[in-house]
Amino acid sequence: ERDFAPIVLTGAAPNVLAVHPALPVRSVKELVALANAKPGALNYSSAATGGSGHLAAELFKIMAGVNIVRVAYKGNAAALTALLSGEVQLTFPNTSSAAPYLRSGRIRALAVTGSQPSALVPGLPTVSASGVPGYEAIAIDGVFGPAKTPAAIINRLNQEIVRVLGNTDVKAKFFNAGVEVVGSSPERLAAAIKTEI
């Protein structure tokens, strides 16, 4: 907050709460009930400590009041493979890596981790609306400049970047990478950073 000047919030990337199809749950409420009935029996996979999937799961544990156990893997692909093979019962993958397995039915998505439904996974409810009120776990991307960059330069950069983000091809590239384009004001990026901190 002290060293950088926010320019634009470029995108937001929610994860999905996904389970192995053999798990007898079809909703977040059913998952919470099962986890409460069998504390410590359900495992979730995640890759990097502090990565979006790990933090999304830990926030879920806290807010839903469930005891699920983390199994760490060396990468996102290995964490998703663990779910596909049934080594773990759930995970919080990013939408782009989960999409082919969701379409084929090899994994089941229960909810999206953003505060609003996502075009990245149409028709999927949010975790918050599915029984864990206030839950939100997204990764945000932004552009920053050095602290004390003149306001005129910040505003010009913001306008140009927002213009480019509005391009259909650019939106498609972001979308295919599992990111929804935002294109915000500098003030919205600053507020997002404060919220995240």
Side-chain angles (χ1 to χ4, degrees), residues 2-3 9 21 24 26 29 50 57 60 62 65 68 84 93 110 113 118 132 135 144 152 172 181 192:
R2 185 175 57 245
D3 298 328
L9 175 60
R26 297 255 175 214
K29 286 182 182 177
F60 180 78
I62 293 166
I68 56 176
L84 291 166
L110 301 181
T113 63
S118 173
V132 186
Y135 179 93
F144 296 84
V181 168

Side-chain angles (χ1 to χ4, degrees), residues 50-76:
S52 66
H54 177 220
L55 293 179
E58 290 299 316
L59 183 62
F60 180 78
K61 282 175 62 173
I62 293 166
M63 293 185 73
V66 295
N67 178 7
I68 56 176
V69 179
R70 179 184 186 215
V71 180
Y73 289 84
K74 289 187 178 180
N76 290 326

Side-chain angles (χ1 to χ4, degrees), residues 69-116:
V69 179
R70 179 184 186 215
V71 180
Y73 289 84
K74 289 187 178 180
N76 290 326
L80 190 54
T81 299
L83 180 66
L84 291 166
S85 68
E87 285 178 33
V88 298
Q89 291 77 41
L90 64 142
T91 192
F92 287 78
N94 63 51
T95 56
S96 60
S97 62
Y101 306 109
L102 294 171
R103 284 191 294 271
S104 70
R106 292 187 62 199
I107 62 176
R108 179 184 310 126
L110 301 181
V112 66
T113 63
S115 62
Q116 301 293 321

Side-chain angles (χ1 to χ4, degrees), residues 122-155:
L124 201 58
T126 65
V127 173
S128 180
S130 300
V132 186
Y135 179 93
E136 179 185 26
I138 59 170
I140 58 172
D141 300 316
V143 176
F144 296 84
K148 299 180 184 171
T149 300
I153 293 173
I154 295 286
N155 290 334

